[in-house]
Amino acid sequence: MENTKDLTEHSSRSERKRRDSFGMFDGYDSCSEDTSSSSSSDESEEEVAPLPSSLPIIKNNGQVYTYPDGKSGMATCEMCGMVGVRDAFYSKTKRFCSVSCSRSYSSNSKKASILARLQGKPPTKKAKVLQKQPLVAKLAAYAQYQATLQNQVKTKTAVPVEGFSWGNYITSNNLTAAPVTCFKHAPMGTCWGDISEGVRVEVPNTDCSLPTKVFWIAGIVKLAGYNVLLRYEGFENDSSVDFWCNVCGSDIHPVGWCATSGKPLVPPRTIQHKYTNWKAFLVKRLTGAKTLPPDFSQKVSESMQYPFKPSMRVEVVDKTHLCRTRVAVVDSVIGGRLRLVYEESEDKTDDFWCHMYSPLIHHIGWSRSIGHRFKRSDITKKQDGHYDAPPHLFAKVKEVDPSGEWFKEGMKLEAIDPLNLSAICVATIRKVLADGYLMIGIDGSEAADGSDWFCYHATSPSIFPVGFCEINAIELTPPRGYAKLPFKWFDYLRETDSIAAPVKLFNKEVPNHGFHIRMKLEAVDLMEPRLVCVATVTRIIHRLLRIHFDGWEEEYDQWVDCESPDLYPVGWCQLTGYQLQPPAPQTARDSQSSSSKQKKKAKSQQYKGHKKMTSLQLKEELLDGEEYNFLQGASDQESNGSASYYIKQEP
């Protein structure tokens, strides 16, 4: 592309279009170069800091803006004196801002003409009631009009709007949100690019009272997931008009969009007086800056297309009996989350929420293929319109080779309790299924018929080798009723005449997830999976995250894997239209705190939600019957590399 090196203010329109290889002048009939005067001395701005190179660079063609002086593209109402975008004015001649002004002017003209005849004066061609005023007078009238409108707006919006605002929450508490790139399953998670502070966009100008929607250029000041804090160009260090919005929203555009769409760029009212040559100012500020890719909105749209459709049939865990699955039908899809209605539910109230990539849902026939328990439906044939979801839509698990040394029934391990997701418990492998799947039971709290066993894949980050909790300073929940405390694995293995599952069989992969302690996000309450809540990362054990729900007690925290599809960036609910649960108010916290102990004692057998957990990397194998000890290390690892804490055999 050819860069423009000489943008003079008196160059011809044809020369301007010829040089505008970026297309930023296209459709800007409202912008006239010959109306701009020389720039003020205040225009000496510092150069824009260099940004990552993957975003489009704004070339030295600049953006043209004509001050609202009634010339090309702008108009002044001959009745009230208001200045605005010409295309939005009334009548073919664009002389009036509204129908009322046109009628008032016509009425006044007739009165003036009649008065002239009575006074014996010759009638003029047009009785001008409102004489043309100098530019300064016009601008003064315009400013007064805008001030009046602003006062009206303030009066109308005096009542505060109730509701949670991520922007206010983050700004007032100086919080940090997890970046979108941490969530590969979320929209734009894999194609977010280098969107960062300093990137310029075109957004609606809300600091303006023109009768039509106008835009201005803003720069990203802060990122919080999908949400960005924007500051209009020209405000420099003034944050008084900064505002939050979702960068994936429909009103955020790359620089140049207004030009190609024929939309007007109008500077905010607060700073209109700062520069006399806005064109020169924008050319200087935008040259070399970064903006969104031209196809950004298309990518957003594509990333929000989900393959699961209503009426698809799947197999999903039975929330009343963890050990089996049932057939359910997709009722709705929101942001990749599925509301599944169990097929036998006549009134469609017996439902279950999960993400489409959840390990809890499978294609029809999965249970039979691996030997998992399955509740047969009383419905003998599919209902009209229902059809089986294709197998390729479901999340794939890693292939394993059970032909060599493998998990065996009776082996001990540590696992997340799906009925108490804040706890990692002593557990036992109760059954080995096909394709690497295992049925796990929590020691000391199992039902006699095994109805509370639950299925994990051998590569699941929700199961851990013996000693994982001790090494990482996590409280291990011993078997219910076990009296020999503190719990020691070596003693327990000897007392139960059992062996620990070999360390080498567990998942040792730790991705470079990017999470850090105190980062904010939106997370599913997996004990009530229809709810997505304001949450915080409070601990990181390699790929294992401790998720705290803001406003609630720590006992409601949940252990979640860093790649869990039940975690989302800040702004996900707003983007997808899902309802976000704000932090619990003080009254709810007080009542919940008083009854939490009783609730914990009577653990429900209903499985409302399953959380995808993480496993640490342990390299050495625990040898059966041999004495061992643990290498101690810091528990909270913000490093995303491989684990460095092992179980070691005693020499």
Side-chain angles (χ1 to χ4, degrees):
M1 295 175 63
E2 179 184 355
N3 288 339
T4 303
K5 295 184 178 180
D6 184 19
L7 283 176
T8 62
E9 296 179 25
H10 301 287
S11 60
S12 65
R13 187 179 299 270
S14 60
E15 179 67 12
R16 182 188 70 195
K17 289 185 176 180
R18 183 181 68 82
R19 294 180 176 181
D20 181 29
S21 57
F22 191 73
M24 296 177 65
F25 297 108
D26 295 348
Y28 268 79
D29 294 336
S30 62
C31 300
S32 173
E33 291 183 326
D34 59 5
T35 61
S36 301
S37 59
S38 60
S39 60
S40 66
S41 59
D42 296 335
E43 288 178 1
S44 57
E45 306 288 344
E46 56 273 13
E47 293 297 324
V48 179
L51 293 170
S53 59
S54 67
L55 295 179
I57 298 176
I58 302 171
K59 303 298 182 181
N60 188 24
N61 307 82
Q63 193 56 280
V64 175
Y65 170 76
T66 298
Y67 201 73
D69 56 0
K71 294 190 178 182
S72 177
M74 305 298 288
T76 302
C77 180
E78 295 183 13
M79 183 63 208
C80 68
M82 195 197 92
V83 181
V85 179
R86 188 179 190 86
D87 290 342
F89 270 42
Y90 177 71
S91 79
K92 293 181 180 179
T93 58
K94 307 297 182 184
R95 294 170 58 201
F96 308 102
C97 67
S98 65
V99 176
S100 61
C101 279
S102 174
R103 290 175 178 173
S104 298
Y105 183 91
S106 176
S107 176
N108 289 343
S109 294
K110 290 178 181 179
K111 291 178 182 178
S113 178
I114 294 172
L115 181 62
R117 289 193 184 98
L118 292 175
Q119 293 175 346
K121 295 179 181 179
T124 56
K125 187 175 183 181
K126 284 188 179 180
K128 298 287 185 181
V129 177
L130 187 67
Q131 298 296 325
K132 287 189 176 182
Q133 300 294 323
L135 175 60
V136 175
K138 291 179 182 178
L139 294 178
Y142 180 47
Q144 183 178 4
Y145 172 78
Q146 288 180 319
T148 303
L149 285 182
Q150 188 176 23
N151 290 334
Q152 293 175 355
V153 171
K154 286 182 179 179
T155 303
K156 292 177 182 177
T157 58
V159 181
V161 179
E162 294 184 359
F164 176 77
S165 167
W166 263 120
N168 294 338
Y169 192 57
I170 288 175
T171 303
S172 59
N173 298 286
N174 194 26
L175 305 174
T176 302
V180 174
T181 51
C182 290
F183 310 88
K184 305 303 182 186
H185 57 281
M188 301 298 292
T190 58
C191 54
W192 187 247
D194 293 321
I195 299 176
S196 58
E197 295 178 6
V199 169
R200 306 303 206 282
V201 293
E202 292 179 350
V203 293
N205 179 2
T206 57
D207 186 21
C208 180
S209 299
L210 291 175
T212 188
K213 189 174 184 179
V214 296
F215 294 79
W216 190 239
I217 296 169
I220 296 177
V221 178
K222 183 181 179 69
L223 278 89
Y226 294 117
N227 294 346
V228 291
L229 181 63
L230 295 176
R231 181 174 300 168
Y232 289 123
E233 282 297 330
F235 276 86
E236 301 175 6
N237 296 323
D238 181 3
S239 61
S240 61
V241 192
D242 289 3
F243 60 98
W244 286 91
C245 65
N246 196 302
V247 76
C248 295
S250 58
D251 273 337
I252 308 295
H253 307 282
V255 172
W257 176 85
C258 283
T260 58
S261 304
K263 303 295 183 181
L265 280 175
V266 178
R269 175 181 60 243
T270 307
I271 58 169
Q272 250 177 11
H273 64 281
K274 290 185 65 176
Y275 304 100
T276 57
N277 189 345
W278 282 101
K279 170 196 165 182
F281 168 80
L282 288 179
V283 168
K284 186 172 183 178
R285 292 290 295 170
L286 298 181
T287 299
K290 301 293 191 301
T291 187
L292 299 177
D295 60 347
F296 184 76
S297 61
Q298 180 182 347
K299 287 183 177 179
V300 171
S301 178
E302 291 174 352
S303 66
M304 295 180 67
Q305 301 299 315
Y306 307 107
F308 281 87
K309 306 298 178 185
S311 299
M312 282 186 173
R313 299 171 75 243
V314 301
E315 288 185 9
V316 65
V317 66
D318 184 345
K319 63 184 182 182
T320 60
H321 294 82
L322 304 186
C323 64
R324 69 187 185 190
T325 58
R326 296 171 61 183
V327 173
V329 179
V330 177
D331 177 73
S332 58
V333 183
I334 305 177
R337 295 195 65 76
L338 311 178
R339 179 178 183 261
L340 302 173
V341 176
Y342 289 113
E343 197 170 47
E344 295 172 302
S345 176
E346 295 181 358
D347 58 358
K348 294 188 176 182
T349 58
D350 190 9
D351 62 357
F352 185 82
W353 281 89
C354 67
H355 193 272
M356 63 182 183
Y357 294 146
S358 169
L360 298 177
I361 60 172
H362 310 276
H363 61 85
I364 298 296
W366 173 83
S367 297
R368 177 183 296 178
S369 68
I370 71 162
H372 193 283
R373 290 189 192 178
F374 175 77
K375 181 185 179 183
R376 295 188 179 278
S377 174
D378 295 335
I379 300 175
T380 56
K381 64 177 182 178
K382 300 177 189 176
Q383 297 183 18
D384 292 342
H386 293 178
Y387 60 103
D388 297 350
H392 71 270
L393 299 185
F394 298 85
K396 302 295 187 295
V397 294
K398 296 178 182 178
E399 293 186 3
V400 294
D401 181 15
S403 59
E405 187 175 11
W406 193 240
F407 292 101
K408 294 181 175 61
E409 292 183 16
M411 283 183 172
K412 300 294 182 180
L413 70 163
E414 298 174 4
I416 303 299
D417 182 353
L419 298 176
N420 180 12
L421 297 168
S422 66
I424 300 178
C425 305
V426 174
T428 303
I429 298 174
R430 294 303 180 187
K431 190 176 182 180
V432 179
L433 308 179
D435 296 341
Y437 286 95
L438 310 170
M439 296 302 295
I440 307 293
I442 299 297
D443 285 21
S445 59
E446 297 177 63
D449 59 355
S451 60
D452 57 354
W453 295 353
F454 48 97
C455 183
Y456 280 137
H457 193 263
T459 61
S460 170
S462 301
I463 58 176
F464 316 94
V466 163
F468 171 82
C469 286
E470 182 173 349
I471 292 170
N472 294 286
I474 299 173
E475 182 181 358
L476 176 66
T477 303
R480 184 179 299 177
Y482 187 74
K484 193 175 180 180
L485 300 176
F487 179 84
K488 296 293 183 183
W489 262 116
F490 182 76
D491 294 338
Y492 185 69
L493 291 175
R494 183 171 292 171
E495 292 168 5
T496 57
D497 192 24
S498 54
I499 61 174
V503 176
K504 68 180 182 180
L505 299 182
F506 291 85
N507 182 7
K508 299 178 178 63
E509 181 183 354
V510 180
N512 185 19
H513 51 68
F515 286 102
H516 296 282
I517 292 176
R518 290 181 291 279
M519 278 184 171
K520 296 293 179 180
L521 69 164
E522 297 177 5
V524 175
D525 179 357
L526 290 162
M527 295 308 297
E528 193 65 52
R530 63 185 176 84
L531 303 180
V532 178
C533 310
V534 173
T536 307
V537 178
T538 57
R539 287 193 70 182
I540 301 175
I541 310 297
H542 298 281
R543 67 179 295 156
L544 186 64
L545 309 180
R546 181 81 169 179
I547 300 300
H548 173 74
F549 298 106
D550 290 19
W552 293 93
E553 298 294 329
E554 290 184 2
E555 60 189 289
Y556 290 89
D557 291 1
Q558 296 176 2
W559 289 108
V560 183
D561 183 60
C562 64
E563 293 184 339
S564 169
D566 295 306
L567 303 178
Y568 306 102
V570 165
W572 178 86
C573 282
Q574 179 188 2
L575 177 63
T576 61
Y578 206 97
Q579 183 177 354
L580 177 66
Q581 303 299 315
Q586 184 64 43
T587 53
R589 292 199 298 268
D590 293 341
S591 60
Q592 155 257 323
S593 178
S594 62
S595 61
S596 60
K597 292 183 179 180
Q598 288 82 352
K599 290 180 181 179
K600 288 293 179 181
K601 288 181 180 178
K603 187 170 64 172
S604 171
Q605 290 300 312
Q606 179 164 330
Y607 183 62
K608 292 186 176 180
H610 161 90
K611 96 175 174 36
K612 194 179 177 188
M613 302 299 169
T614 55
S615 64
L616 179 65
Q617 314 315 59
L618 301 171
K619 285 190 176 179
E620 298 295 331
E621 179 179 350
L622 176 62
L623 299 184
D624 301 339
E626 296 289 340
E627 189 148 333
Y628 57 87
N629 61 11
F630 302 100
L631 295 182
Q632 300 296 331
S635 61
D636 293 63
Q637 299 301 314
E638 293 206 36
S639 166
N640 296 328
S642 309
S644 57
Y645 308 103
Y646 320 126
I647 296 176
K648 182 180 180 182
Q649 178 188 357
E650 190 71 24

